[in-house]
């Protein structure tokens, strides 16, 4: 057995962050990734201060920073009139308030930065084209069986970390084999080059320097710059039916065009001008179910608690999970106790974030009297007051942060 050996399933944001965090604490780490190559998938994401401060501590932020954008504000606009309803200051103001930057980036750029950092650490080994086939709990640890290029092998470890996403194959290891559930919402995603016709069309009525959410009873659309402001990430959300459990290809914008038909003409035209769109059914995972097994298994990120993106915290929660798990295991003499304490500490925060996302979704898609009440509420809130409402989320730091040493 290797008492300080960690095996991680999945080389996404959660898995790579966990690998770096564990290596930083003196563990040897083996990452098993099913994909034969880490391809550029996904779309834009928001990296709030609660995540960037951790990424900075892990030596990742400086790598990804040149490809990110530091937006000036989060802005809420009416999709029909384009009138601004609220503004939360970001940029330098956010960094002063929350002691870390608020950034936006392409998911692939963050994953690449995490991979580059992991490759700098000798105690991390990444195996691509490798599928976990079995995990056996033993009295002296764990044996992980895997298949790589048709060859079956196994490795012993003290902990198995499942970071294999919303459609996790490892979730069954800590409880009933419950699958993720369709949330009822579809995400429509696309990226515009800033200097393209569609990019210039967007810039003519919206600020490319902010994270802007357009509010409407039938949809909402979030837009922000990525890749050093050379591109614009668009994500529209509509009600719909579950259609697939993987990224689709080019998708007809007919349903999105119908949802946006009552929006301001400039905004509605994006349904066609910004095509092709990638459509994604939003699935969630019941976060109240077990995340750990006392024998030495832990689920992190979407494998444990996939949530809708309406609080823009999916990546941030994965980063928090990974960092805190490594700290908990490194600081304890009993792995089972460490896992139990980590799960108990994480669940209330993740649940609060999910509730915030549900509130945002309700407010952003409100109509009629509810939308009028929302607008009045936002009118009475100052930008500083709206920022203060997010202190609990963006201002969070891991317990014992001041005592934590550097790599």
């Amino acid at each position: 057995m290797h008492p300080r050996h960690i095996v991680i399933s999945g080389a996404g944001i959660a898995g790579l962050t966990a690998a770096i965090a564990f290596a930083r604490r003196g563990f040897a780490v083996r990452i098993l990734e099913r994909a034969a190559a880490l391809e550029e998938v996904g779309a834009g994401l928001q990296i709030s201060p609660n995540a960037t401060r951790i990424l900075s501590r892990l030596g990742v932020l400086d790598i990804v920073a040149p490809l990110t954008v530091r937006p000036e504000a989060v802005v809420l606009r009416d999709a029909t009139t384009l009138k601004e309803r609220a503004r939360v200051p970001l940029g330098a103001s956010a960094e002063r308030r929350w002691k870390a930057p608020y950034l936006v980036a392409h998911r692939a750029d963050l994953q690449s930065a995490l991979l580059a950092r992991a490759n700098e650490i000798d105690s991390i080994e990444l195996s691509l084209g490798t599928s976990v086939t079995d995990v056996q709990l033993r009295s002296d640890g764990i044996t992980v069986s895997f298949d790589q290029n048709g060859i079956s092998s196994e490795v012993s470890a003290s902990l198995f970390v499942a970071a294999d996403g919303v459609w996790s194959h490892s979730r069954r290891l800590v409880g009933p084999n419950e699958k993720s559930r369709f949330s009822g919402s579809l995400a429509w995603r696309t990226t515009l080059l800033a200097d393209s016709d569609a990019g210039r069309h967007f810039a003519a009525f919206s600020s490319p320097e902010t994270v802007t959410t357009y509010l409407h009873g039938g949809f909402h659309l979030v837009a922000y710059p990525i890749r050093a402001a050379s591109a614009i990430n668009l994500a529209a959300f509509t009600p719909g039916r579950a259609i697939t459990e993987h990224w689709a290809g080019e998708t007809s914008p007919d349903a999105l065009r119908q949802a946006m038909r009552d929006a301001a003409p400039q905004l509605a035209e994006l349904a066609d001008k910004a095509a092709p769109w990638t459509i994604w059914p939003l699935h969630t995972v019941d976060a109240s179910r077990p995340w750990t097994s006392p024998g030495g298994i832990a689920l992190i990120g979407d494998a444990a608690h996939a949530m809708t993106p309406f609080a823009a915290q999916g990546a941030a929660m994965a980063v928090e999970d990974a960092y805190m798990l490594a700290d908990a295991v490194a600081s304890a003499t009993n792995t089972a106790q460490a896992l139990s304490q980590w799960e108990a500490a994480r669940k209330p925060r993740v649940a609060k974030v999910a509730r915030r996302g549900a509130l945002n979704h309700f407010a952003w898609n409100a109509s009629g009297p509810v939308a009028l009440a929302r607008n009045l509420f936002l009118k009475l809130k100052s930008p500083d007051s709206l920022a203060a409402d997010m202190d609990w989320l963006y201002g969070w730091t891991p317990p014992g942060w001041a005592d934590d040493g550097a790599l």
Side-chain angles (χ1 to χ4, degrees), residues 347-358:
K347 278 191 168 180
R349 178 164 171 80
V350 169
K352 188 174 182 180
V353 170
R355 289 194 297 271
R356 176 68 192 210

Side-chain angles (χ1 to χ4, degrees), residues 2 4-11 15-16 18-20 22-23 27-33 118 121-132 144-149 151-163:
H2 303 282
R4 295 186 68 80
H5 191 122
I6 309 296
V7 174
I8 299 173
S9 174
L16 289 169
I20 298 166
F22 273 107
F27 291 87
V29 183
R30 178 83 176 270
I31 310 172
L32 307 179
E33 167 56 47
I121 304 173
D122 292 339
S123 57
I124 297 177
E125 178 184 356
L126 171 61
S127 299
L128 297 173
T130 305
S131 299
V132 174
V144 180
S145 301
F146 58 91
D147 182 276
Q148 185 176 29
N149 300 321
I151 300 175
S152 297
S153 304
E154 62 181 34
V155 61
S156 297
S158 56
L159 179 67
F160 175 72
V161 180

Side-chain angles (χ1 to χ4, degrees), residues 26-280:
F27 291 87
V29 183
R30 178 83 176 270
I31 310 172
L32 307 179
E33 167 56 47
R34 176 179 298 183
L38 296 182
E39 299 176 347
E40 183 170 302
V41 296
L45 53 80
Q46 300 177 53
I47 318 175
S48 49
N50 48 308
T52 58
R53 65 169 49 89
I54 292 174
L55 295 173
S56 179
R57 182 65 62 93
L58 296 180
V60 177
L61 195 61
D62 286 346
I63 300 173
V64 74
L67 293 174
T68 67
V69 176
R70 188 172 303 192
E72 297 176 356
V74 168
V75 177
L76 302 181
R77 291 185 180 275
D78 188 294
T80 303
T81 64
L82 302 183
K83 180 179 180 180
E84 183 173 313
R85 296 296 183 185
R87 176 178 290 257
V88 180
L90 295 179
S93 173
E95 190 157 0
R96 286 193 300 270
R97 184 180 193 100
W98 297 305
K99 306 299 186 289
Y102 193 113
L103 304 175
V104 288
H106 195 287
R107 178 177 293 272
D109 293 337
L110 177 56
Q111 185 180 23
S112 294
L114 287 162
L115 180 61
R117 182 69 181 107
N119 285 336
E120 295 175 346
I121 304 173
D122 292 339
S123 57
I124 297 177
E125 178 184 356
L126 171 61
S127 299
L128 297 173
T130 305
S131 299
V132 174
T133 56
D134 193 25
V135 178
Q136 291 291 328
L137 303 179
R138 305 189 186 282
S139 59
D140 58 350
I142 291 176
T143 298
V144 180
S145 301
F146 58 91
D147 182 276
Q148 185 176 29
N149 300 321
I151 300 175
S152 297
S153 304
E154 62 181 34
V155 61
S156 297
S158 56
L159 179 67
F160 175 72
V161 180
D164 51 349
V166 62
W167 294 295
S168 171
H169 293 272
S170 304
R171 197 176 295 127
R172 59 181 174 78
L173 298 173
V174 300
N177 189 18
E178 181 174 329
K179 294 185 177 181
S180 60
R181 300 176 182 177
F182 177 56
S183 67
S185 295
L186 299 176
W188 302 71
R189 303 183 188 273
T190 192
T191 301
L192 309 178
L193 293 177
D195 62 356
S196 67
D197 289 343
R200 286 188 288 271
H201 171 84
F202 173 80
F205 68 89
S206 184
S207 170
E209 293 82 29
T210 64
V211 177
T212 304
T213 300
Y214 295 89
L215 315 179
H216 189 276
F219 75 98
H220 72 270
L221 184 142
V222 183
Y224 52 83
I226 57 174
R227 298 200 150 155
S230 66
I232 301 163
N233 178 79
L234 298 181
F237 300 90
T238 66
R241 296 178 299 172
I243 53 173
T244 182
E245 289 192 353
H246 55 79
W247 287 100
E250 296 183 3
T251 304
S252 168
D254 289 348
L256 182 59
R257 186 187 301 117
Q258 179 67 14
M260 296 176 68
R261 66 189 184 280
D262 295 329
Q266 308 98 303
L267 186 63
E269 288 174 17
L270 281 178
D272 290 311
K273 287 184 177 295
W277 296 82
T278 298
I279 192 167
W280 177 262

